[in-house]
Amino acid sequence: MIKIAVVGTGNVGRFAITNALAEEDVELVGVITRKKHDLGIAGTENIQIAEDITALDVKPDVAVLCIPTRAVPETAEKCLNAGISTVDCFDIHGKIVDLRAQLDKAAKANGRVAVTASGWDPGSDSIVRTLMQAAAPKGLTYTNFGPGMSMGHSVAAKSKPAVRDALSMTIPLGTGVHRRMVYIEVEQGSTYEEAKEQILADDYFCHDETHVIAVDDINQLKDMGHGVHMIRKGVSGGTHNQILEFNMTINNPALTAQMMIASARAATRQNPGCYTLIEIPVVDYVQGEREDLVRKLV
Amino acid sequence: MIKIAVVGTGNVGRFAITNALAEEDVELVGVITRKKHDLGIAGTENIQIAEDITALDVKPDVAVLCIPTRAVPETAEKCLNAGISTVDCFDIHGKIVDLRAQLDKAAKANGRVAVTASGWDPGSDSIVRTLMQAAAPKGLTYTNFGPGMSMGHSVAAKSKPAVRDALSMTIPLGTGVHRRMVYIEVEQGSTYEEAKEQILADDYFCHDETHVIAVDDINQLKDMGHGVHMIRKGVSGGTHNQILEFNMTINNPALTAQMMIASARAATRQNPGCYTLIEIPVVDYVQGEREDLVRKLV
């Protein structure tokens, strides 16, 4: 059994708890959160809750870090130094290589494994992108997100003075171009025009086609569904017009959490060091004996 | 540079030659064939052609075995014993585990790598199937082939006494069910009814919806295009209705050959032993330095 602790009880953390409980080869040995209240998740009644991972009665093999991206470098290194392997969902594409180098050092120094940038993009999409590149080395891959809620854009819109609450939907227009549909509650004492102007001036929105729509209640619009459409049209050797396509329509935090649990399993199957998902054999993400999996899946 | 020899000059072998010549980190050091004639492939004028791989002036790192599936076990083992790593496109799903065990022994004894069951199914599809299983561990995956020509079914139809030539198209009907559209030239002295009866009685056809159509000239119908539609609807932890989908429309031997060249590259990056494609990190199939690839593809 792989002993896992889930760190963080936001959307992804709550799904990671549920998903860990559903896996036959995983034992949830603790949840790390500063909130004292009951988790309200079926099956967690006897799971230890602690503020610090080193306070758990049973030392986990892997810490699944469902925490804000910016907290990952410090928290992951702390876990590795405590002799616990880590999985994170760090999602700032441009900074993954640096984080990988930092965690690789800490992981090797402690004989542990760090799996970084897990989830679906970066994550499972990265695996598909890499496979497409191998199958047709020349050409273009487009990753089209949505329709679905963008956490980053929603937070950016909500931060404006004239906005009380916001939800930003990402709408794929093809060839990696996206429309932003921003639903807002206007702050009392402000106008819709002020809110719209503030949002459209933000760097998150000024490069894309953005529509701002005032509504009475943002909560009525929330839906964790998301999706992706990846397409590569490329060349295999001398052969043009090779078309490969990957689509998903999924619950966003549930899939993120599932890829993180799968990555935790994979962590127990790698040599010490830090890995992104494209650096791990896909068979290592799946429960079961390798020879059985080869028989069933190849 | 990775030194490669292509063994066999059938459809897949000819594309493997062209594709190897297109790769910047690959050097084609020889083609193994019993046919003496000029290959008629641009760029091969100065490539050594030999009947036996041990006769090449430059010893290859990897032999890319574009040969009939049933010849793979013996030929691969012979190459490994000669100190040459191998890639094959063995495609009898039920016998892959046994071949993997056989080649693993020979590869380890010689400090070499065997990549088995490369191509697209088994091959790149296997990677996607495994990833889908990791992302949604419970549920159903359907692999739908086509529309495209089935080599095995075409050969089976052609073997009937009343059939002079045949081409069997695989048409996907969804949920892994396929229709067979069998185009035939009727043998002189035989009737269409005889040909149809012989085909429908064959084990290759009697389980599927099969239509037999007489034509004047099979050669006018040949098209190497093929495709696949894989779909999984499954459960991530407690979350149902997670839908993942993979589509390709490709030149069949060109993609098979490309995955084999990518597997040859990967062979040079693994420890001695035998691997199916799901057992190799996807990044290892792609040309370039690992850190650069992580930066670009994750």
Side-chain angles (χ1 to χ4, degrees):
Chain A
M1 295 293 277
I2 304 164
K3 297 185 183 68
I4 283 180
V6 171
V7 182
T9 54
N11 275 329
V12 174
R14 295 179 68 81
F15 278 98
I17 291 166
T18 305
N19 294 8
L21 292 169
E23 299 285 330
E24 288 171 16
D25 59 344
V26 167
E27 183 188 354
L28 182 66
V29 300
V31 173
I32 311 305
T33 175
R34 259 175 257 137
K35 295 165 195 155
K36 297 288 181 190
H37 64 79
D38 174 38
L39 294 172
I41 300 173
T44 58
E45 297 74 16
N46 298 315
I47 304 291
Q48 187 180 6
I49 298 175
E51 287 201 19
D52 193 291
I53 197 161
T54 57
L56 290 176
D57 297 336
V58 178
K59 182 178 169 181
D61 301 314
V62 190
V64 177
L65 306 179
C66 307
I67 58 179
T69 271
R70 292 182 199 285
V72 165
E74 190 187 330
T75 308
E77 196 164 325
K78 192 187 136 199
C79 289
L80 292 166
N81 287 336
I84 300 166
S85 293
T86 60
V87 174
D88 66 66
C89 53
F90 187 85
D91 67 353
I92 306 173
H93 285 261
K95 295 185 176 171
I96 290 169
V97 168
D98 291 342
L99 177 62
R100 176 174 166 276
Q102 178 195 333
L103 298 185
D104 193 59
K105 201 179 287 183
K108 283 176 177 159
N110 294 284
R112 290 297 179 278
V113 172
V115 180
T116 194
S118 185
W120 59 275
D121 204 315
S124 47
D125 281 2
S126 314
I127 294 173
V128 176
R129 256 195 302 276
T130 307
L131 179 63
M132 288 179 171
Q133 179 79 29
K138 289 174 192 164
L140 288 165
T141 301
Y142 291 115
T143 303
N144 304 291
F145 296 108
M149 179 179 171
S150 164
M151 297 301 293
H153 288 78
S154 298
V155 169
K158 195 175 168 177
S159 72
K160 304 302 163 201
V163 177
R164 187 169 56 216
D165 201 358
L167 184 154
S168 179
M169 291 289 289
T170 304
I171 310 296
L173 302 180
T175 59
V177 177
H178 297 94
R179 177 188 297 146
R180 310 290 169 184
M181 296 294 289
V182 189
Y183 299 89
I184 59 166
E185 294 175 22
V186 177
E187 187 62 86
Q188 268 192 322
S190 298
T191 65
Y192 163 77
E193 281 69 27
E194 289 166 346
K196 181 178 173 181
E197 195 180 348
Q198 290 164 7
I199 288 169
L200 294 184
D202 190 297
D203 200 56
Y204 262 91
F205 297 100
C206 65
H207 308 290
D208 296 333
E209 178 191 331
T210 300
H211 301 255
V212 179
I213 299 143
V215 298
D216 291 334
D217 186 357
I218 287 294
N219 270 323
Q220 299 302 315
L221 309 181
K222 282 188 181 162
D223 164 17
M224 290 180 188
H226 214 311
V228 76
H229 171 227
M230 295 173 62
I231 183 158
R232 182 171 184 82
K233 190 164 84 64
V235 185
S236 306
T239 305
H240 294 243
N241 207 32
Q242 304 279 75
I243 298 175
L244 299 93
E245 196 181 3
F246 182 71
N247 296 304
M248 290 196 312
T249 165
I250 43 87
N251 176 310
N252 183 356
L255 186 65
T256 302
Q258 190 62 39
M259 286 310 299
M260 293 181 80
I261 298 295
S263 299
R265 177 182 294 117
T268 67
R269 295 168 170 177
Q270 309 308 306
N271 292 323
C274 181
Y275 302 80
T276 58
L277 269 57
I278 66 173
E279 299 174 86
I280 294 173
V282 287
V283 71
D284 287 350
Y285 297 111
V286 182
Q287 187 205 338
E289 292 300 320
R290 185 177 275 215
E291 196 166 289
D292 278 346
L293 294 172
V294 168
R295 187 173 285 114
K296 285 177 197 155
L297 294 168
V298 171
Chain B
M1 297 291 278
I2 304 164
K3 297 184 183 70
I4 283 181
V6 172
V7 182
T9 53
N11 276 328
V12 174
R14 296 178 67 81
F15 278 99
I17 292 166
T18 306
N19 294 7
L21 292 170
E23 298 286 331
E24 288 171 16
D25 59 342
V26 167
E27 183 188 354
L28 182 66
V29 300
V31 173
I32 311 306
T33 174
R34 258 174 259 139
K35 296 164 196 158
K36 296 289 181 189
H37 64 79
D38 174 37
L39 294 172
I41 300 174
T44 58
E45 297 75 16
N46 298 315
I47 304 291
Q48 187 180 5
I49 298 176
E51 287 201 20
D52 193 292
I53 197 161
T54 58
L56 291 177
D57 297 337
V58 178
K59 181 178 168 180
D61 301 314
V62 190
V64 177
L65 306 178
C66 307
I67 58 179
T69 270
R70 291 183 200 284
V72 165
E74 190 187 330
T75 308
E77 195 164 327
K78 192 188 136 200
C79 290
L80 292 165
N81 286 336
I84 300 166
S85 293
T86 60
V87 173
D88 67 65
C89 53
F90 188 86
D91 67 353
I92 306 172
H93 286 261
K95 293 184 177 173
I96 290 169
V97 168
D98 290 342
L99 176 62
R100 176 174 166 277
Q102 178 196 332
L103 298 186
D104 193 60
K105 200 179 286 183
K108 284 176 176 158
N110 293 284
R112 290 298 178 276
V113 172
V115 180
T116 194
S118 186
W120 60 273
D121 204 314
S124 47
D125 282 1
S126 314
I127 294 173
V128 176
R129 254 194 303 273
T130 306
L131 179 63
M132 288 179 171
Q133 178 80 29
K138 289 175 193 164
L140 288 165
T141 301
Y142 292 113
T143 302
N144 304 291
F145 295 108
M149 180 180 170
S150 165
M151 298 302 293
H153 288 79
S154 297
V155 169
K158 196 176 168 175
S159 71
K160 304 302 162 201
V163 177
R164 186 169 58 218
D165 201 357
L167 184 153
S168 179
M169 291 288 288
T170 305
I171 309 297
L173 302 180
T175 58
V177 177
H178 297 93
R179 176 188 298 146
R180 310 290 169 184
M181 296 294 289
V182 189
Y183 299 88
I184 59 165
E185 294 173 22
V186 177
E187 188 62 86
Q188 271 192 321
S190 297
T191 64
Y192 163 77
E193 280 68 27
E194 288 167 348
K196 180 178 173 181
E197 194 180 351
Q198 289 165 6
I199 289 169
L200 294 184
D202 190 297
D203 199 55
Y204 261 90
F205 297 100
C206 65
H207 308 290
D208 297 332
E209 178 191 331
T210 301
H211 301 254
V212 180
I213 298 144
V215 298
D216 291 334
D217 185 358
I218 286 294
N219 270 322
Q220 299 302 315
L221 309 182
K222 281 187 182 163
D223 164 16
M224 289 181 188
H226 215 311
V228 76
H229 172 226
M230 295 173 62
I231 182 159
R232 182 170 184 83
K233 192 164 84 64
V235 185
S236 306
T239 305
H240 294 243
N241 207 32
Q242 303 281 75
I243 298 175
L244 299 93
E245 198 180 0
F246 182 72
N247 296 304
M248 289 196 313
T249 165
I250 43 89
N251 175 308
N252 183 356
L255 187 65
T256 302
Q258 189 62 38
M259 287 308 301
M260 292 180 82
I261 298 295
S263 299
R265 177 182 293 116
T268 68
R269 296 169 169 175
Q270 310 307 307
N271 292 323
C274 181
Y275 302 81
T276 58
L277 268 58
I278 66 172
E279 298 173 88
I280 294 173
V282 286
V283 71
D284 286 350
Y285 296 111
V286 182
Q287 187 205 339
E289 293 300 319
R290 185 176 275 214
E291 197 167 285
D292 278 346
L293 294 171
V294 168
R295 188 175 284 114
K296 285 177 196 155
L297 294 169
V298 171

